């Protein structure tokens, strides 16, 4: 403990106090009243228009175009500020041609028992990644299957590379250190946080020195793999971020690219994303758009590819009207290194009602940055490639996990809405209320036979047509082949389960399970027990019964069936979809 307290001088480094701008109290009150005003406006927007779905789409398109314009403006401003004559020192060449460069960065890729071929492809993609000065791989686990990932790293990068084994996860050391500091001192938790991170950084420096790793010199190490005993993804991310802080300090790197072991980058992914925030000192992070690289694996990955093309691009843009974004996606996030020390321990130690959270790592990292005054940008015109689950059950469990993270980050920090534009709250309100309203409308019609709100098939049709046309014209992802043919199946695949997913995610918000299994052979051979499958998918079985019964009631009402015929339709409409989905999702898995 004395040695930790002796390190306090280290914690006073400016990097621990780097944060975004403070929001004045008057501005916070103004934002608060703006949020209150947003609620009745949203209700009027949803109930008083004959075409609410189409109107919502138009607002999303405006947000997308504004975001595209703003990121291009930031890039242009940055490149102008960084332009140098390409013929410096040679008066015979044209000195008016600028040389445009964005800052170099280091990349962090973390994973656990990843498929060897996919992991190799992911690592290979960084060879051609423009601006990647240093690559750090974090492997969660040190058993034989985990060391396969280390071996893949060695095969892909046999030169200028090194491997470090950590005997104890730095996240465990951080928790223990923080606990000791809190027990020994009645001081400020901010100081405990700084001292904890400084202690972990010192251990990382000592580890680099003990392994004789030379950085920043000709012939020095430019690729490093760190592996430690199995904890979880947030644990290996913590260790990787600690090493990143240290390495970035040594190499003078300002930005960090963070990704997963199943994600592939394109040559311009890193630089294009970094250039969005490089000229904005208030921007703490950014993320790029995503496409799916395993489209041809199964019919479900084809649906996933179409969902990313049809829904994701438009869905992610509305918060950007507020000047920031609410989520950096895990496969394609950029973070300003100076912003990490001040948030890293709180990010790792997140609890909800006394329960440790380990799976909503990307959304909570964004929340922590926003709470420190940083803004988050979305480089919608830049792409990276990720993997989507190859089975329907895998897709549903992934969506449930994302829904839980969304609910947590939406409600955990109410102050977040007072330090951001009310449009930020509008986006969160629409995201949370929309699926619940749909579910309530379905149940209301099922039990009463009456619609709870105005509904127009033309409204839905206009939205589908306009969404498809806009994606064809403006989406940087050119979409699946014959993308028009995937629109209706995609809507069925994505839209029907979504209300149930959101409700189940809210009811099980404290569930810490990852949901989807790792892809390495050892993990994929494990079979879930029946009750585990029922817990994971039973809610969808029940929901399909509700949807089936509601559909039958609609048909019965339109056909003018008798009361007896109506009851028979409801029974069969509920039982048949439930049995089919029970067999497919629970029994077969």
């Amino acid at each position: 403990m004395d040695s930790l307290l002796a390190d306090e001088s280290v914690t006073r480094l400016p990097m621990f106090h780097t944060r975004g701008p403070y929001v004045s109290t008057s501005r916070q009150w103004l934002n608060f009243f703006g949020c209150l005003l947003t609620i009745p406006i949203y209700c009027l927007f949803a109930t008083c228009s004959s075409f609410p779905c189409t109107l919502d789409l138009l607002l999303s398109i405006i947000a997308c175009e504004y975001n595209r314009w703003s990121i291009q403006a930031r890039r242009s401003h940055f490149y102008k500020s960084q332009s140098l004559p390409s013929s410096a020192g040679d008066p015979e060449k044209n000195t008016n041609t600028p040389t445009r460069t964005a800052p170099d960065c280091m990349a962090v890729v973390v994973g656990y028992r990843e498929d060897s071929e996919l992991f190799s492809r992911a690592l290979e993609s960084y060879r051609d990644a423009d601006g990647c000065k240093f690559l750090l791989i974090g492997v969660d686990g040190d058993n034989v299957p985990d060391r396969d990932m280390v071996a893949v790293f060695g095969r892909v990068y046999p030169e200028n590379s090194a491997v470090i084994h950590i005997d104890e996860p730095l996240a465990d050391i951080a928790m223990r250190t923080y606990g000791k500091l809190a027990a020994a001192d009645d001081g400020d938790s901010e100081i405990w946080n700084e001292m904890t991170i400084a202690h972990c950084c010192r251990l990382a420096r000592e580890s680099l020195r003990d392994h004789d790793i030379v950085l920043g010199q000709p012939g020095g190490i430019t690729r490093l793999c760190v592996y430690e005993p199995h904890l979880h993804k947030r644990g290996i991310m913590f260790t990787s971020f600690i090493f990143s802080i240290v390495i970035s300090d040594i190499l003078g790197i300002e930005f960090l690219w963070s990704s997963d072991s199943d994600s592939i980058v394109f040559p311009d992914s890193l630089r294009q994303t970094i250039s969005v925030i490089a000229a904005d000192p208030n921007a703490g992070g950014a993320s790029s758009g995503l496409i799916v690289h395993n489209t041809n694996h199964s019919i479900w990955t084809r649906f996933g590819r179409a969902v990313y093309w049809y829904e994701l691009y438009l869905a992610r843009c509305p918060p950007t009207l507020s000047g920031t974004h609410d989520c950096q996606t895990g496969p394609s996030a950029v973070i300003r290194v100076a912003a990490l020390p001040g948030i890293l321990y709180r990010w790792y130690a997140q609890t909800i009602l006394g329960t440790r959270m380990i799976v909503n790592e990307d959304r909570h990292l964004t929340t922590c940055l926003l709470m420190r005054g940083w803004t988050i940008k979305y480089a919608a015109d830049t792409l990276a490639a990720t993997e989507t689950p190859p089975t329907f059950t895998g897709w549903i469990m992934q969506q449930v996990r994302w829904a839980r993270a969304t609910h947590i980050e939406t409600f955990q920090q109410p102050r977040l809405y007072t330090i951001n534009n009310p449009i930020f709250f509008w986006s969160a309100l629409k995201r949370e209320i929309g699926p619940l309203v749909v579910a309530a409308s379905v149940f209301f019609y099922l039990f009463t036979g009456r619609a709870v709100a105005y509904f127009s098939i033309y409204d839905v049709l206009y939205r589908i047509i306009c969404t498809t046309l806009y994606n064809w014209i403006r989406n940087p992802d050119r979409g699946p082949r014959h993308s028009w043919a995937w629109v209706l199946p995609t809507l069925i695949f994505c839209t029907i389960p979504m209300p149930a997913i959101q409700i189940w995610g809210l009811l099980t918000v404290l569930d810490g399970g990852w949901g989807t299994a790792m892809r390495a052979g050892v993990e994929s051979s494990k079979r879930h027990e029946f009750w585990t499958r029922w817990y994971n998918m039973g809610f969808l079985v029940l929901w399909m019964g509700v949807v089936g019964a509601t559909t039958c009631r609609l048909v019965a009402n339109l056909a003018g069936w008798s009361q007896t015929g109506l009851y028979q339709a409801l029974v069969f409409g509920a039982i048949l979809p439930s049995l089919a989905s029970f067999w497919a999702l629970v029994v077969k898995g």
Side-chain angles (χ1 to χ4, degrees):
M1 177 56 59
D2 292 339
S3 63
L4 292 176
L5 296 175
D7 281 340
E8 184 174 355
S9 60
V10 179
T11 72
R12 310 321 296 175
L13 292 174
M15 70 174 182
F16 285 98
H17 304 284
T18 304
R19 55 161 296 138
Y22 286 93
V23 180
S24 66
T25 302
S26 59
R27 178 66 187 185
Q28 291 188 46
W29 277 106
L30 186 63
N31 289 339
F32 172 73
F33 289 117
C35 292
L36 294 181
L37 187 61
T38 295
I39 298 174
I41 292 176
Y42 178 79
C43 294
L44 291 173
F45 172 86
T47 58
C48 294
S49 171
S50 299
F51 298 92
C53 294
T54 305
L55 183 57
D56 177 73
L57 172 65
L58 293 178
L59 292 178
S60 297
I61 290 175
I62 292 173
C64 288
E65 291 304 306
Y66 170 78
N67 183 58
R68 291 284 287 267
W69 171 82
S70 64
I71 62 177
Q72 290 294 347
R74 289 189 185 92
R75 285 200 188 106
S76 177
H77 174 71
F78 172 75
Y79 286 139
K80 287 180 180 178
S81 67
Q82 297 294 313
S83 294
L84 297 173
S86 60
S87 57
D90 189 349
E92 295 183 1
K93 295 184 178 180
N94 181 6
T95 59
N96 294 323
T97 303
T99 300
R100 293 183 171 184
T101 61
D104 290 330
C105 73
M106 71 171 292
V108 168
V109 178
V110 300
Y112 170 63
R113 298 190 179 179
E114 188 60 80
D115 176 77
S116 296
E117 182 179 352
L118 177 56
F119 186 46
S120 179
R121 289 178 58 201
L123 294 184
E124 287 280 1
S125 68
Y126 286 89
R127 289 187 183 274
D128 300 321
D130 190 20
C132 184
K133 189 173 182 179
F134 194 96
L135 177 63
L136 174 65
I137 308 300
V139 177
D140 179 31
D142 57 359
N143 294 321
V144 174
D146 308 305
R147 291 197 290 272
D148 289 343
M149 291 185 67
V150 179
V152 171
F153 167 79
R155 290 195 298 269
V156 175
Y157 294 109
E159 299 178 353
N160 300 329
S161 63
V163 175
I164 293 178
H165 176 254
I166 307 296
D167 294 327
E168 182 181 8
L170 290 183
D172 286 346
I173 295 175
M175 293 287 287
R176 187 168 62 248
T177 301
Y178 189 91
K180 290 180 179 179
L181 289 169
D185 185 15
D186 294 330
D188 189 352
S189 61
E190 186 77 14
I191 296 177
W192 304 337
N193 171 72
E194 295 176 6
M195 295 178 69
T196 298
I197 299 301
H199 178 62
C200 291
C201 287
R202 187 185 68 178
L203 294 178
R205 286 183 183 273
E206 291 175 353
S207 183
L208 292 172
R209 184 174 61 248
D210 292 343
H211 287 80
D212 297 323
I213 293 178
V214 179
L215 302 175
Q217 299 181 14
I221 298 299
T222 57
R223 307 287 186 262
L224 176 65
C225 178
V226 176
Y227 69 110
E228 63 183 15
H230 173 57
L231 198 58
H232 39 64
K233 183 181 178 181
R234 195 178 290 212
I236 190 61
M237 287 179 69
F238 182 90
T239 295
S240 301
F241 285 158
I242 289 292
F243 273 88
S244 299
I245 293 171
V246 172
I247 294 171
S248 297
D249 181 55
I250 295 172
L251 299 180
I253 294 175
E254 189 176 358
F255 298 101
L256 169 69
W257 171 274
S258 176
S259 188
D260 301 328
S261 57
D262 63 353
S263 302
I264 297 171
V265 299
F266 302 114
D268 66 344
S269 297
L270 279 64
R271 275 208 192 276
Q272 284 287 89
T273 308
I274 292 170
S275 65
V276 173
I277 65 173
D280 185 354
N282 297 330
S287 63
S288 73
L290 289 173
I291 62 173
V292 172
H293 63 68
N294 64 327
T295 304
N296 297 323
H297 189 281
S298 69
I299 186 65
W300 306 113
T301 57
R302 292 180 185 272
F303 281 138
R305 171 80 163 89
V307 169
Y308 273 66
W309 176 76
Y310 183 83
E311 287 284 342
L312 189 64
Y313 176 69
L314 279 163
R316 292 192 63 195
C317 285
T320 60
L321 282 174
S322 66
T324 189
H325 201 261
D326 57 0
C327 180
Q328 293 171 280
T329 54
S332 60
V334 165
I335 307 165
R336 190 180 295 271
V337 176
L340 270 177
I343 67 167
L344 193 53
Y345 180 79
R346 290 187 179 89
W347 165 77
Y348 177 76
Q350 180 193 18
T351 59
I352 304 295
L353 300 177
T355 302
R356 284 289 310 281
M357 293 288 106
I358 62 173
V359 297
N360 60 323
E361 72 290 334
D362 49 359
R363 290 198 72 96
H364 189 57
L365 182 65
T366 305
T367 300
C368 290
L369 289 170
L370 291 172
M371 290 298 294
R372 294 275 290 187
W374 299 104
T375 60
I376 306 298
K377 306 304 177 185
Y378 173 40
D381 61 350
T382 305
L383 297 173
T386 189
E387 186 172 71
T388 192
T391 65
F392 182 64
T393 54
W395 167 269
I396 292 297
M397 287 190 287
Q398 181 193 65
Q399 300 304 305
V400 170
R401 188 176 75 245
W402 290 355
R404 290 169 182 149
T406 299
H407 294 317
I408 290 171
E409 301 308 322
T410 298
F411 298 117
Q412 185 186 16
Q413 296 285 355
R415 183 171 167 267
L416 193 61
Y417 304 109
T418 67
I419 60 178
N420 285 287
N421 189 294
I423 296 177
F424 189 84
F425 177 75
W426 168 284
S427 178
L429 180 68
K430 185 180 73 169
R431 183 179 60 236
E432 289 292 325
I433 296 297
L436 299 181
V437 170
V438 171
S441 300
V442 170
F443 279 105
F444 186 82
Y445 187 85
L446 175 62
F447 290 111
T448 67
R450 301 193 307 273
V452 71
Y454 172 79
F455 174 79
S456 169
I457 188 64
Y458 295 105
D459 183 28
V460 175
L461 183 61
Y462 292 155
R463 180 183 176 96
I464 293 173
I465 294 173
C466 293
T467 301
T468 304
L469 290 175
Y470 181 76
N471 277 304
W472 273 341
I473 296 170
R474 292 294 286 166
N475 195 329
D477 172 15
R478 302 323 301 164
R481 188 178 180 184
H482 305 305
S483 52
W484 60 270
W486 288 95
V487 171
L488 185 58
T490 296
L491 289 174
I492 295 173
F493 172 72
C494 179
T495 306
I496 290 180
M498 197 53 62
I501 288 171
Q502 293 295 321
I503 293 173
W504 183 245
L506 185 61
L507 294 176
T508 61
V509 72
L510 298 181
D511 191 320
W514 194 256
T516 53
M518 298 299 105
R519 283 168 290 275
V522 173
E523 290 298 314
S524 61
S525 65
K526 295 179 180 178
R527 303 300 300 170
H528 292 290
E529 296 295 332
F530 172 84
W531 289 112
T532 300
R533 292 198 297 270
W534 172 255
Y535 176 79
N536 287 332
M537 304 303 298
F539 76 94
L540 191 55
V541 172
L542 299 177
W543 175 248
M544 292 307 297
V546 171
V547 171
T550 305
T551 303
C552 286
R553 173 139 203 172
L554 175 62
V555 173
N557 286 349
L558 293 176
W561 291 356
S562 64
Q563 197 75 6
T564 301
L566 173 62
Y567 289 149
Q568 291 175 344
L570 291 178
V571 171
F572 282 103
I575 291 178
L576 292 181
S578 294
L579 289 177
S581 55
F582 176 80
W583 174 260
L585 301 176
V586 179
V587 177
K588 300 295 289 184

